[in-house]
Amino acid sequence: MTQQYPTSLGTSDADTITLLGQNLADDLMGKVGFGELTLWMVTQRRPTQSEVRVFEAVLVALADHGFTPTAIAARLTYLSAPDSLQGALAAGLLGGGSRFLGVTEDAGQFLAGVLAEADEIPVDDAGYDALALAAVQRARAARKFVPGLGHPVHKVRDPRTPVLIAIADEEGLRGPHLRLFEAIGRVHPQVLGRTLPLNGAGTCGAVLADLGLPLSLLRGFALLARAAGLLGQLAEEQRTPIANDIYMSVDRNATYITPK
Amino acid sequence: MTQQYPTSLGTSDADTITLLGQNLADDLMGKVGFGELTLWMVTQRRPTQSEVRVFEAVLVALADHGFTPTAIAARLTYLSAPDSLQGALAAGLLGGGSRFLGVTEDAGQFLAGVLAEADEIPVDDAGYDALALAAVQRARAARKFVPGLGHPVHKVRDPRTPVLIAIADEEGLRGPHLRLFEAIGRVHPQVLGRTLPLNGAGTCGAVLADLGLPLSLLRGFALLARAAGLLGQLAEEQRTPIANDIYMSVDRNATYITPK
Amino acid sequence: MTQQYPTSLGTSDADTITLLGQNLADDLMGKVGFGELTLWMVTQRRPTQSEVRVFEAVLVALADHGFTPTAIAARLTYLSAPDSLQGALAAGLLGGGSRFLGVTEDAGQFLAGVLAEADEIPVDDAGYDALALAAVQRARAARKFVPGLGHPVHKVRDPRTPVLIAIADEEGLRGPHLRLFEAIGRVHPQVLGRTLPLNGAGTCGAVLADLGLPLSLLRGFALLARAAGLLGQLAEEQRTPIANDIYMSVDRNATYITPK
Amino acid sequence: MTQQYPTSLGTSDADTITLLGQNLADDLMGKVGFGELTLWMVTQRRPTQSEVRVFEAVLVALADHGFTPTAIAARLTYLSAPDSLQGALAAGLLGGGSRFLGVTEDAGQFLAGVLAEADEIPVDDAGYDALALAAVQRARAARKFVPGLGHPVHKVRDPRTPVLIAIADEEGLRGPHLRLFEAIGRVHPQVLGRTLPLNGAGTCGAVLADLGLPLSLLRGFALLARAAGLLGQLAEEQRTPIANDIYMSVDRNATYITPK
């Protein structure tokens, strides 16, 4: 028997393009926003406008952070291979791994894990605090890091965090992952002995998990946001090139050490 | 003197994150959509809501086309390296080169080139038809391909094309690139001796060029749209895996030919 | 103070190119083989001819395995973007993650970990057997997988394993990692209750670790070998294209499931 | 009828692994070098030892050039995503495009094109000089660049060029592409009005073309050489990290320009 490959995304025939069971041209283009379509493709359920607003706030929060290693790598790759924009974009995304973009997914996974093991979902802040306290204590005992705590630049407060919480709250989407994350923000000092801010990337992870997005794909949304940011970086590189200066500043300041 | 690196995108200090000169948390998150921010980052000018609607219609048009080679490559890469979602996404985008995603950029470049060489921008359809006729004749004389004409599946009409034109028209953004492209659709049969449809990817290129986006970055918007589509493909691969079946169907049907 | 960037690899001035402290043109080209140079660049120590022979045997063992998911992804990417060979190669390498290429590194890391925790390095097979037995028992108790055991196709014996052991032995480089791995091959049946072959990728990891290569880079040698194999695949794709047939066979056998 | 996929590279069954029609374990491992296998996989013809020596000299010549944009991009990507070595390697290779690695392929293609259009292959230097002169004049008339001429650092002489010519000569492989390239070195001053060195990358292209390698794959050999160099760079980054210092030096010297 011939292998069959099921899908519910795109397909087409001579006259029609279908996406998610919809007529792409008649029902989606001009009627559905890009963030809305992204959510729909991932969950295969049409999102509400509240979900779209929260989701796009996360994408906006993660789109660009200036001269990150990934932005620099994309610009250098574009310098070397200007004929292949896709290569520069891919090179920038390949830095979206555990260290710089991973917090979003790690936080979502951590929170979901704690909730999955809880006997019941708390009904008030006191309940979330108790759950959070046990989770932070368990992490500390296992010498594990609680993802989403602390930031190299925003040492006291990450400005994105309260705004994301407020937007989720306005839209009725401040769910258990985010409430647990907020509780971690309240209780961790009594375990760790110092107060760390809830960072924006971790908050994004909590919010995305509350949207019901697949936990093992959370990093993907940070990557999508970053893809847009990298287009901004590459457009700026076209207007005001700096990649060659970066290259020269490294090359010129090389200190050669003859191996023994 | 120390090298300086100018930028107008992201920057941050302990309390504030700035993007495009705006306060990210207070002025952008929850207030600016993801497509809107993308346009803004690339052009460094805040787009109008009309521009955003047209832009997002293009992204929606290009997001997913089912089991394209790039979607299959992303799924196979995810099968091999499930720990590295960024690698699967990058592998999928790397297929966004000349053949499958290049038409958008090629069409925009072609149309902009014809307009740049025109003595004046036409004022009516007759003027566009004359300009288009000369351009198609020149391309044919040089044995060059007119980008955006023809489609392997939509042999008579690409359903995205009239919808994109209508949306651009509704928003007052049916500019010279798109009008020239439409004229090519009208006049090419008298040069080429057969009637080909204006394809959707080419129409997207005309529309993006009319939005004033950098021509050498047009492929980038197709890549951004595709990044969202690839997240949909990878989410589906998590739910309903097919990559291993594809691999097996190739491996099992290999015919080994001993080299001489 | 200006940042300085130390390196012992390549540098050049108007007249001379230096690599590893050597004159590239006069002392390396034509005098040092490619595998030899690779080892030298990674370890910054000139390898012996025995080390080179063992290293190249590993690269030969890992270079190509036919229609793997990575080979298929590279061919599909080349189909989509034939103007960007680097993209096709990169797409193929991006599948070199935990599942298909990871065994080499995982095995090396596992063996090195066991040896690091041992009180002393064994002096005979009995000593290695005892160490291996304890390690396999510990792994089983922790419900962890012993990397390098078992193979989906070579269920009884991986033909590369005895040959790699023999070559290492001939060259006086059958060191503690490989001897421990061989001991795992002898003792694991009494813990796991069934006999699995030592696979070739795991044996490569043991051999590379015995060469003193950085454990966290072992995957990199599998990737280098695979880069050569992918060139073979892409050369064959140029001569006898199959990527479009693969794409068509997937696309044609898609079963569309309308989402609810 | 089921699709069949022909191949002459790798295949395996329960007991045997076959590569290029050979028994991998018995006939290749330990008996065939890595460069030799690479040539064999690409051409499907077993190379001579002379061909292997010339080929490996090219790979050695191209392996590393210090802090190139691609090396920096690989290091920055490794900093961001240390869990995914394949991503760092891929990011480095993605810079292997038209500008920095493209000369090798461009030169090979240019020389092959000139030879293909020649009435007959010259028999002496005078014949090559005449062919070269016409080719350089044609390129200049078309305002095209002759690939392989000139180098930003080696303004008078690229030290790799005479060594590659000597090695090819020693091995009886100084063929028409290289002889034509040498002739271009002799005659171009009378057309261009200034004397440029034949660069190493271009010479490599001539040599690889004389080896009979596919012209559209020449960039691939530069990428393979670079993959080894990138492993050296990443090993050095593990021992003596500089990527974070590069990132910091860019980020700290950013000048923020508020967009209008």
Side-chain angles (χ1 to χ4, degrees), chain A residues 2-11 18-21 44 81 83-84 86 94 249-250 253-260, chain C residues 2-11 18-21 44 81 84 86 94 249-250 253-260:
Chain A
T2 306
Q3 185 68 52
Q4 292 294 311
Y5 303 111
T7 186
S8 300
L9 291 162
T11 190
T18 301
L19 180 58
L20 294 158
Q44 305 227 343
D83 48 317
S84 173
Q86 70 272 22
L94 288 171
S249 99
V250 176
N253 294 307
T255 307
Y256 200 75
I257 297 170
T258 303
K260 279 155 259 176
Chain C
T2 306
Q3 185 67 54
Q4 292 294 312
Y5 304 110
T7 186
S8 300
L9 291 162
T11 190
T18 301
L19 180 58
L20 294 159
Q44 304 227 342
S84 174
Q86 70 271 24
L94 287 170
S249 98
V250 176
N253 294 308
T255 308
Y256 201 75
I257 298 170
T258 303
K260 277 155 259 175

Side-chain angles (χ1 to χ4, degrees), chain B residues 2-9 11 18-21 44 84 86 94 249-250 253-259, chain D residues 2-9 11 18-21 44 84 86 94 249-250 253-259:
Chain B
T2 306
Q3 185 68 52
Q4 292 294 313
Y5 303 110
T7 186
S8 300
L9 291 161
T11 190
T18 301
L19 180 58
L20 294 159
Q44 305 227 343
S84 174
Q86 69 271 25
L94 288 170
S249 98
V250 176
N253 293 308
T255 308
Y256 200 75
I257 297 170
T258 303
Chain D
T2 307
Q3 185 68 52
Q4 291 295 312
Y5 304 111
T7 186
S8 300
L9 291 162
T11 190
T18 301
L19 179 58
L20 294 159
Q44 304 226 343
S84 172
Q86 70 272 23
L94 288 170
S249 100
V250 176
N253 294 308
T255 307
Y256 200 75
I257 298 170
T258 303

Side-chain angles (χ1 to χ4, degrees), chain A residues 56-146:
Chain A
E56 296 212 11
V58 167
L59 296 182
V60 168
L62 297 176
D64 184 75
H65 293 89
F67 290 140
T68 54
T70 61
I72 303 169
R75 286 181 183 243
L76 288 166
T77 304
Y78 189 64
L79 171 70
S80 293
D83 48 317
S84 173
L85 189 73
Q86 70 272 22
L89 193 61
L93 294 178
L94 288 171
S98 56
R99 197 170 299 176
F100 278 78
L101 282 195
V103 177
T104 297
E105 185 163 320
D106 293 345
Q109 300 261 16
F110 178 83
L111 298 167
V114 173
L115 291 168
E117 288 179 12
D119 295 328
E120 50 190 352
I121 300 299
V123 294
D124 54 19
D125 279 359
Y128 278 108
D129 283 1
L131 193 59
L133 187 64
V136 176
Q137 284 168 334
R138 230 169 20 237
R140 187 184 171 81
R143 291 160 186 266
K144 283 194 183 155
F145 182 70
V146 177

